Amino acid sequence: MYYRHGTLRMGKLLMVDADMQVVDTDPSDPFDFFIDRYNDELIEGYTRNQPDYGLLVFMRDFNDLGLPLRSGERAAP
């Protein structure tokens, strides 16, 4: 998912003129995102700030929360 321009508010994050890309930590399957529990997906993922002040957000699939990482899935460094 890619959010560009506009304003995003997620929890305590407020991003004006948004530039945020959400990436699945397991590219081998479709991304399973659940907006009502996005924070749980964030907790098991990680973020990377970009030089242009953008944000890359790596999230786990909702149905994988609490499970061990699968082969090929990228873990938080």
Side-chain angles (χ1 to χ4, degrees), residues 9-76:
R9 184 173 34 173
M10 298 176 73
K12 292 182 179 182
L13 172 69
L14 176 65
M15 185 180 278
V16 179
D17 190 23
D19 183 4
M20 182 175 82
Q21 183 176 4
V22 178
V23 180
D24 189 351
T25 58
D26 183 2
S28 71
D29 64 0
F31 184 44
D32 181 23
F33 179 73
F34 185 37
I35 190 67
D36 292 339
R37 302 276 303 276
Y38 77 90
N39 196 56
D40 296 326
E41 291 177 89
L42 280 173
I43 289 168
E44 291 197 29
Y46 56 99
T47 62
R48 290 281 182 249
N49 290 37
Q50 300 301 296
D52 63 356
Y53 300 101
L55 185 64
L56 277 176
V57 178
F58 294 85
M59 285 187 176
R60 292 202 71 199
D61 291 321
F62 178 72
N63 62 348
D64 290 339
L65 296 181
L67 299 175
L69 295 176
R70 293 193 282 176
S71 176
E73 188 172 8
R74 294 172 54 182

